[in-house]
């Protein structure tokens, strides 16, 4: 992995703190953490190079797993998977190492017999001061966006965001592909994720202050409400040769009245006839 600061010069104190975290991350030893093999902190051009075990050859990113499960994971699956991820992150926390750039692209799912194991990569890889510019915006925390101090609760927030995505099959803070990252960062700061229950989620999404979060069309809204297979009427464009289906003529009001009177008269006649025969 190679991380360039893109011309951004870190203050000496921030640079020293980041280097200390990376060096300590190099000493992390846990089955769920692919080890850092080599590290070059600052070549002649000021770049940092970190070489770690290629876990990509053993498993797939969590993001790929979620993409293959468009309906989301079951609650039991999601909670169990999150517990495994949290165990790895907690092991790093106990050694004084924060991750600060967790996302589904940095968590790998590896087959392990009849079950799966998780691997969490790239601890301390992103300098905290550069998170707003280079971190994945939907997985940052309000304190990172605002440049506030971070602690282990910062990773906790991001893990909750990832759990939300595992359950709902969509990011907690939605960002359209063509949206500026600042829009997503603003949602992290000022908006709450949509509710997880389908009806509440659909309503909250349709009511979002951001148009990019709303459904692209009403058909998708109705489907999100749990109603599918609705026969949507077709509105023909102007000048179309086909004419819309004709409606049946409204039944005249006197027809049901006459029918009702006829049925009632017949019923009275039958009752009278039965009674008359009974007296014979």
């Amino acid at each position: 992995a190679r991380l360039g600061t893109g011309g951004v010069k870190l203050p000496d104190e921030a640079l020293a703190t980041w280097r200390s975290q990376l060096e300590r991350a190099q000493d992390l030893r846990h089955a769920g953490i692919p080890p850092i093999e080599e590290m070059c902190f600052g070549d002649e051009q000021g770049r940092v190079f970190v070489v770690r075990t290629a876990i990509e050859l053993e498993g797939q990113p969590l993001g790929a797993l979620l993409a293959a499960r468009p309906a989301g994971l079951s609650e039991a699956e999601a909670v169990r998977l999150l517990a495994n991820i949290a165990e790895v992150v907690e092991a790093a926390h106990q050694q004084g190492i924060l991750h600060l750039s967790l996302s589904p692209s940095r968590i790998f799912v590896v087959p392990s017999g009849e079950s799966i194991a998780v691997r969490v990569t790239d601890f301390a890889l992103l300098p905290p001061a550069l998170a707003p510019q280079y971190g994945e915006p939907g997985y940052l925390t309000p304190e990172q966006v605002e440049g506030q101090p971070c602690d282990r609760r910062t990773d906790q927030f991001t893990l909750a965001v990832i759990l939300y995505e595992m359950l709902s099959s969509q990011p907690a803070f939605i960002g359209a592909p063509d949206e500026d990252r600042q829009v997503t960062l603003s949602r992290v700061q000022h908006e709450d994720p949509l509710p997880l229950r389908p009806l509440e989620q659909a309503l909250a999404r349709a009511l979002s202050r951001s148009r990019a979060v709303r459904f692209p069309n009403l058909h998708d809204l109705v489907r999100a409400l749990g109603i599918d297979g609705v026969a949507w009427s077709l509105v023909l464009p102007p000048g179309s040769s086909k004419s819309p289906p004709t409606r049946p003529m409204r039944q005249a009001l006197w027809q049901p009245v006459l029918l009702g009177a006829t049925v009632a008269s017949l019923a009275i006649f039958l009752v009278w006839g039965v009674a008359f025969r009974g007296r014979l």
Side-chain angles (χ1 to χ4, degrees):
R2 168 181 152 183
L3 178 65
T5 59
V8 178
K9 181 174 176 58
L10 290 174
D12 291 342
E13 183 179 355
L15 191 64
T17 300
W18 179 39
R19 177 168 188 166
S20 174
Q21 283 282 296
L22 266 179
E23 289 174 344
R24 295 174 70 182
Q26 191 172 13
D27 295 331
L28 281 175
R29 294 295 178 267
H30 188 279
I33 302 176
I36 294 176
E37 306 291 349
E38 298 288 341
M39 184 175 68
C40 173
F41 198 93
D43 63 1
E44 65 278 1
Q45 296 180 0
R47 295 172 298 183
V48 175
F49 296 86
V50 178
V51 180
R52 62 160 169 79
T53 299
I55 194 63
E56 289 85 350
L57 302 178
E58 302 177 30
Q60 64 175 335
L62 176 60
L65 173 65
L66 297 180
R69 300 281 295 273
L73 306 182
S74 70
E75 184 174 329
E77 288 176 315
V79 170
R80 183 168 60 250
L81 187 54
L82 184 88
N84 292 337
I85 300 168
E87 179 187 353
V88 177
V89 177
E90 176 63 20
H93 285 180
Q94 291 180 1
Q95 298 182 54
I97 305 297
L98 304 178
H99 195 292
L100 301 183
S101 55
L102 284 165
S103 74
S105 65
R106 300 188 189 277
I107 298 170
F108 287 80
V109 180
V110 180
S112 179
E114 296 183 356
S115 61
I116 58 173
V118 298
R119 304 285 186 267
V120 182
T121 67
D122 306 334
F123 280 86
L125 186 64
L126 184 65
L130 299 183
Q133 293 92 339
Y134 297 102
E136 294 184 60
Y139 302 98
L140 294 176
T141 66
E143 59 266 29
Q144 287 177 294
V145 177
E146 296 166 5
Q148 300 297 321
C150 299
D151 57 27
R152 60 176 59 193
R153 292 168 295 183
T154 302
D155 285 338
Q156 177 189 140
F157 180 96
T158 306
L159 283 178
V161 168
I162 294 171
L163 175 60
Y164 178 101
E165 186 168 349
M166 289 193 288
L167 291 169
S168 69
S169 77
Q170 69 180 23
F173 302 103
I174 299 174
D178 58 346
E179 273 188 324
D180 187 272
R181 65 182 284 115
Q182 292 300 324
V183 177
T184 304
L185 294 179
S186 178
R187 292 196 190 105
V188 172
Q189 292 176 279
H190 304 297
E191 295 187 16
D192 293 326
L194 299 172
L196 286 174
R197 290 185 63 236
L199 179 62
E200 294 176 354
Q201 183 182 116
L203 185 59
R205 186 170 175 182
L207 291 171
S208 174
R209 292 186 292 270
S210 174
R211 284 180 296 172
V213 174
R214 300 173 201 157
F215 295 97
N217 54 64
L218 291 177
H219 186 256
D220 287 349
L221 167 61
V222 172
R223 291 182 63 184
L225 291 171
I227 303 173
D228 205 356
V230 178
W232 292 75
S233 60
L234 177 64
V235 177
L236 298 174
S240 174
S241 58
K242 294 182 180 180
S243 59
T246 58
R247 294 183 179 180
M249 293 181 63
R250 275 184 85 179
Q251 196 176 34
L253 290 177
W254 58 266
Q255 289 179 328
V257 174
L258 178 60
L259 178 62
T262 303
V263 172
S265 299
L266 181 59
I268 293 172
F269 176 78
L270 290 175
V271 171
W272 178 83
V274 171
F276 177 77
R277 291 185 62 185
R279 292 198 297 269
L280 293 179

